[in-house]
Amino acid sequence: MATKTKKKLVIVESPSKAKTIEKYLGRTYKVIASLGHIRDLPKSKMGVDVENDFEPHYISIRGKGDVIKNLRSEAKKAKKVYLASDPDREGEAIAWHLSYLLGLDTKDKNRVVFNEITKDAVKNAFKEPRSIDMSLVDAQQARRVLDRLVGYSISPLLWKKVKKGLSAGRVQSIALNLIIQRENEIKAFKPEEYWTIDSEFQKGKQKFKASFYGEKNKKLALADNDAVQKVLKKIDKKQPFEITKVTKKERKRFPAPPFTTSSMQQEANRRLNFRTRKTMIAAQQLYEGINIGKEGTVGLITYMRTDSTRISSIAKHEASVLIHEKYGAEYAATKPRKGKMPEGAQDAHEAIRPSSVKRTPEDLKSYLSKDQFRLYSLIWSRFMASQMTPEIMDTMSVSLEQNQVNFRANGSKTKFAGFTTIYKNATDKDNILPDLEEGDSVKLTKTDPAQHFTQPPARYSEANLIKALEENGVGRPSTYAPTLDTIQRRYYVKLVARRFEPTELGEIVDKIIVEFFPDIVNIKFTANLESELDGIEEGKENWVEVVDEFYKPFSKEVAHAEENMESVQIKDEPAGFDCDVCGSPMVVKMGRYGKFFACSRFPDCRNTKAIVKEIGVICPKCHKGQIIERKSKRGRIFYGCSRYPDCDFVSWDKPIGRDCPKDGHFLVEKKVKGGKQIVCPNGDYEEAVQK
């Protein structure tokens, strides 16, 4: 009887990645998934021995027993074991933990890394396995230990002095502090009045717009209406304006470099309205592999956690060939510009790009979900644009004068589209002026003075906040999404119209951290610490020394806070009605997901009620209850009946209290591009919302 040939075992993190790789490697390999991390610090205690070189006490993650048992069983049967987790610190740490649990030699050449999950990339990686990079492991371990020391030292203090369930972390504390600083700037902001005079001029039959610039060729600010009236009195509408200067230039606009993790998250937020978490989920799916018909399952983009804009020569060549074929030689850049690296960038991987530009978004549309398609289209077009020639624009600046009153007009016209053929901004529009020459006379047809007030700085959107963290050297590609997620889950901030606003709870926590742990929210201190952690990765720093240098002063701050921090009482405001269980007054309490009504006799009486907003419409189903605004677990607003569960009416769109004149169905207010519309859910009727 023939003996069964032993297979080589490959361990990756996810089942979808395992499925893709196994197809490339063939029958002699078996690929299985560890389902992420398998060992970590315990949740129930610090798990770091501060007396003995910060030795971490790792345990197998609860619920992973069967996975570990299966991994050990498969490893025993295997001819050789390869560890093919992701090509970053986190992936290296997973490989190291796996080698410990499976009794493998860390010096053995069993670590395989690839930047994209394609047949060639995977096969080439297996030709050159290496040993586990302990500098990468130490860098991840140092971050984990530091985060644990901060979190498990400050969080219990917050529980004791403020309320249970709170947390503090290195990067999340800075993110919260940035949001609160911006809120304080907005509160302190005093608007100032200013005026503009936009006017319309005419040359022949062509009309164009120009704005007031100043007097006697010197710029003049218009502080109030009196200043505007003085200017207007000097203008004789019956007399023409003279063109005193025409400046024509050619301007080049270069494409942005391919995506890093941060720029992808920012652009997906701006262009696609994607939350950071949504972007990373879709990117992970595209990286790990999608079934695209005849080719089977293929990784469609390179690794999505990177701070580099570097591109391989093969990818550049492939893009150049496609640009020549599809658009012409004049659109292909001979020397594409290199992007400027952010502060502290590691440049460990390539930029995020398609694994093959030949797979155009349109070719893949039928195989991708809506989110996957939109993100892939963005990545594909951004990469292709980065390899193309700049947009060339003809610009024209015109000075107009009458009685020493100066107006200016600026125009632009695209001469050569270049990269904007495939990657255009929605705001990119030509502003074409008529052919004007010095000495020409033009007629003033209309003046439009307008009052304005200076605006406070805008609150941070997800995109702006990620940009601010990156520019300050705080956090790294893998930390942005979980950081934003945490500060929202803890209810330290809330998203209102896609902008972050701090909550009362967030302001309390920030005040405590600023007072007792100033280094934690000191941007320069944290950025410097990030650089030292990067130094560990490069083998320049010893991880124990870096952690010790941080912990010595930090532990004194913790001891000082324990003695001097006063308890903060979050006062319960009266709700204005009594408990329907015991008759005591109800109060407004702060919970993990926001405010709610609770009985003032808690814990003796545990009656609670959600705070709901009535919209003044009777339920169209039971005709007894009121329609109230509710929030789903994901924070999306929907509308339901106040008599729930007796009445199960529910609608994502807002009922307006009128019925459809065609079929009698209740009408709803629906958000559409450019505003709102009143529609019948059956699709038979619609009307515009009256403003």
Side-chain angles (χ1 to χ4, degrees):
M1 187 178 168
T3 55
K4 199 175 180 182
T5 312
K6 282 190 172 183
K7 288 189 178 186
K8 293 169 189 171
L9 182 70
V10 182
I11 303 172
V12 296
E13 297 98 325
S14 76
S16 56
K17 188 174 167 183
K19 193 177 167 187
T20 310
I21 292 167
E22 192 166 59
K23 188 193 74 173
Y24 298 145
L25 294 174
R27 276 184 260 171
T28 56
Y29 288 85
K30 181 169 185 178
V31 187
I32 58 173
S34 69
L35 306 176
H37 276 277
I38 48 166
R39 277 207 316 164
D40 198 6
L41 297 171
K43 283 187 176 179
S44 56
K45 57 181 181 180
M46 178 79 79
V48 176
D49 190 346
V50 292
E51 303 296 327
N52 292 301
D53 289 345
F54 304 97
E55 185 70 34
H57 169 61
Y58 292 113
I59 60 164
S60 299
I61 293 170
R62 186 177 289 177
K64 285 289 182 86
D66 290 343
V67 175
I68 293 166
K69 193 177 172 185
N70 183 48
L71 289 169
R72 281 179 172 150
S73 164
E74 292 293 346
K76 273 183 186 175
K77 292 187 277 182
K79 186 178 177 182
K80 185 172 174 65
V81 178
Y82 290 102
L83 308 169
S85 42
D86 286 343
D88 59 5
R89 275 190 301 263
E90 211 71 28
E92 208 70 20
I94 289 173
W96 179 68
H97 285 303
L98 281 166
S99 69
Y100 172 85
L101 280 174
L102 303 177
L104 307 176
D105 185 352
T106 51
K107 290 174 184 173
D108 189 13
K109 291 192 174 181
N110 57 11
R111 176 81 173 110
V112 176
V113 288
F114 31 80
N115 196 45
E116 59 188 66
I117 304 175
T118 57
K119 192 171 187 176
D120 290 345
V122 171
K123 286 203 160 186
N124 289 335
F126 274 85
K127 287 175 188 172
E128 293 178 15
R130 59 166 173 81
S131 54
I132 289 169
D133 185 339
M134 286 310 295
S135 294
L136 277 175
V137 174
D138 287 346
Q140 193 274 341
Q141 189 160 255
R143 284 171 188 274
R144 191 76 190 93
V145 167
L146 268 175
D147 290 341
R148 178 55 65 103
L149 290 171
V150 171
Y152 276 51
S153 297
I154 302 179
S155 298
L157 280 170
L158 295 175
W159 298 355
K160 199 158 66 177
K161 305 291 184 179
V162 187
K163 71 190 285 288
K164 281 198 169 180
L166 302 183
S167 75
R170 283 186 317 118
V171 181
Q172 79 178 55
S173 296
I174 284 191
L176 174 62
N177 186 251
L178 284 171
I179 291 165
I180 287 170
Q181 278 182 29
R182 179 59 56 87
E183 197 66 24
N184 292 338
E185 285 171 30
I186 292 166
K187 284 175 186 171
F189 182 82
K190 288 184 172 66
E192 290 178 12
E193 182 184 5
Y194 71 98
W195 286 70
T196 56
I197 308 172
D198 291 335
S199 301
E200 189 179 76
F201 293 86
Q202 189 170 349
K203 187 200 176 188
K205 289 184 180 179
Q206 283 186 292
K207 290 181 179 179
F208 66 96
K209 287 184 169 65
S211 299
F212 172 75
Y213 174 75
E215 292 180 1
K216 298 177 185 176
N217 291 319
K218 286 184 180 175
K219 195 167 175 65
L220 179 68
L222 300 170
D224 50 34
N225 191 29
D226 291 344
V228 172
Q229 295 309 317
K230 277 181 190 175
V231 170
L232 293 177
K233 278 176 186 173
K234 291 177 186 178
I235 296 170
D236 185 346
K237 287 191 177 180
K238 292 174 184 175
Q239 294 297 316
F241 270 70
E242 186 191 347
I243 304 295
T244 56
K245 192 177 179 185
V246 176
T247 308
K248 291 180 180 179
K249 287 182 182 176
E250 189 180 88
R251 188 165 70 89
K252 285 183 179 180
R253 190 157 69 97
F254 288 88
F259 282 135
T260 60
T261 304
S262 160
S263 58
M264 176 181 72
Q265 289 170 346
Q266 290 172 52
E267 201 73 344
N269 185 250
R270 283 192 205 103
R271 286 182 178 238
L272 310 179
N273 201 7
F274 277 15
R275 301 281 295 276
T276 310
R277 193 161 177 264
K278 185 178 188 175
T279 301
M280 294 313 287
I281 288 169
Q284 182 97 27
Q285 291 163 349
L286 292 170
Y287 165 69
E288 290 186 345
I290 306 281
N291 190 325
I292 57 168
K294 284 181 183 176
E295 278 190 80
T297 307
V298 180
L300 297 177
I301 62 167
T302 52
Y303 191 53
M304 66 285 158
R305 289 190 188 93
T306 177
D307 52 19
S308 171
T309 54
R310 185 167 46 82
I311 292 294
S312 73
S313 53
I314 296 167
K316 281 180 188 172
H317 176 71
E318 197 182 56
S320 179
V321 169
L322 187 65
I323 293 164
H324 275 82
E325 285 174 2
K326 203 168 180 181
Y327 304 101
E330 67 275 23
Y331 285 88
T334 46
K335 274 191 175 178
R337 295 176 102 206
K338 288 181 181 176
K340 190 186 171 192
M341 292 292 194
E343 190 82 25
Q346 291 293 282
D347 197 27
H349 316 296
E350 275 190 69
I352 302 166
R353 61 166 175 82
S355 54
S356 171
V357 290
K358 290 174 188 172
R359 298 187 193 103
T360 66
E362 286 308 315
D363 292 342
L364 299 178
K365 192 170 185 178
S366 58
Y367 303 108
L368 303 177
S369 69
K370 188 183 174 185
D371 289 348
Q372 289 167 351
F373 172 72
R374 293 179 76 202
L375 186 63
Y376 182 76
S377 300
L378 193 68
I379 293 166
W380 187 90
S381 54
R382 172 79 166 225
F383 170 63
M384 286 291 285
S386 75
Q387 304 302 301
M388 292 173 82
T389 45
E391 175 189 30
I392 300 171
M393 301 174 85
D394 282 333
T395 64
M396 188 174 174
S397 178
V398 179
S399 298
L400 304 90
E401 189 179 314
Q402 186 207 87
N403 299 332
Q404 297 185 328
V405 176
N406 309 111
F407 277 73
R408 289 259 173 107
N410 292 302
S412 62
K413 184 183 176 184
T414 301
K415 185 178 182 180
F416 175 70
F419 77 93
T420 61
T421 311
I422 58 169
Y423 199 75
K424 202 175 179 76
N425 283 322
T427 52
D428 293 347
K429 282 176 186 168
D430 285 347
N431 175 28
I432 300 168
L433 295 176
D435 287 329
L436 298 166
E437 300 293 336
E438 286 179 19
D440 283 355
S441 292
V442 293
K443 185 183 171 187
L444 173 67
T445 56
K446 192 164 68 177
T447 56
D448 184 16
Q451 183 189 38
H452 308 274
F453 290 92
T454 53
Q455 295 297 309
R459 291 186 175 99
Y460 285 108
S461 65
E462 287 199 352
N464 300 142
L465 188 57
I466 290 167
K467 191 179 181 187
L469 290 169
E470 185 182 41
E471 284 175 348
N472 286 300
V474 176
R476 289 298 178 258
S478 58
T479 61
Y480 301 130
T483 298
L484 301 196
D485 205 36
T486 302
I487 58 175
Q488 288 173 83
R489 271 192 297 108
R490 299 286 180 203
Y491 199 62
Y492 294 164
V493 300
K494 57 186 177 183
L495 267 181
V496 178
R498 294 178 63 199
R499 300 273 168 176
F500 284 116
E501 286 184 23
T503 62
E504 182 191 352
L505 186 60
E507 287 177 342
I508 290 167
V509 170
D510 179 68
K511 193 179 174 187
I512 289 168
I513 292 170
V514 168
E515 186 180 343
F516 292 99
F517 305 98
D519 283 345
I520 297 293
V521 287
N522 182 321
I523 285 174
K524 280 187 180 173
F525 176 86
T526 304
N528 184 49
L529 185 59
E530 291 282 5
S531 299
E532 288 184 350
L533 291 165
D534 291 340
I536 298 167
E537 193 166 320
E538 292 155 21
K540 294 174 186 172
E541 302 268 5
N542 177 291
W543 82 267
V544 175
E545 287 171 12
V546 170
V547 174
D548 190 49
E549 193 184 327
F550 168 83
Y551 187 69
K552 275 177 181 168
F554 175 70
S555 58
K556 287 174 186 170
E557 287 178 347
V558 173
H560 172 74
E562 280 176 341
E563 281 182 37
N564 297 285
M565 193 188 288
E566 291 178 11
S567 292
V568 178
Q569 193 68 41
I570 301 175
K571 289 178 184 174
D572 299 328
E573 54 184 284
F577 62 95
D578 293 335
C579 174
D580 49 17
V581 174
C582 71
S584 299
M586 293 287 275
V587 291
V588 178
K589 282 200 175 279
M590 178 80 79
R592 195 169 164 181
Y593 300 107
K595 292 182 175 181
F596 64 96
F597 294 128
C599 181
S600 56
R601 285 185 63 244
F602 178 86
D604 298 324
C605 176
R606 292 180 173 270
N607 184 27
T608 61
K609 282 186 176 182
I611 295 178
V612 292
K613 182 177 158 189
E614 290 186 358
I615 65 166
V617 172
I618 300 293
C619 175
K621 188 170 183 179
C622 68
H623 305 289
K624 294 176 185 174
Q626 284 281 338
I627 292 298
I628 54 174
E629 195 178 278
R630 290 184 177 275
K631 273 192 178 180
S632 70
K633 284 181 181 176
R634 292 194 165 191
R636 188 178 166 191
I637 289 172
F638 69 96
Y639 300 89
C641 181
S642 59
R643 292 180 63 245
Y644 178 84
D646 296 329
C647 174
D648 61 358
F649 172 82
V650 69
S651 170
W652 287 116
D653 300 311
K654 184 180 179 179
I656 63 160
R658 285 196 287 124
D659 291 337
C660 175
K662 289 190 176 181
D663 64 5
H665 195 286
F666 65 88
L667 293 173
V668 294
E669 188 179 276
K670 206 173 184 71
K671 285 182 183 175
V672 292
K673 215 169 186 179
K676 292 173 183 175
Q677 211 171 38
I678 291 168
V679 300
C680 174
N682 291 337
D684 297 332
Y685 177 81
E686 63 182 49
E687 64 182 68
V689 173
Q690 289 183 345
K691 291 183 180 177

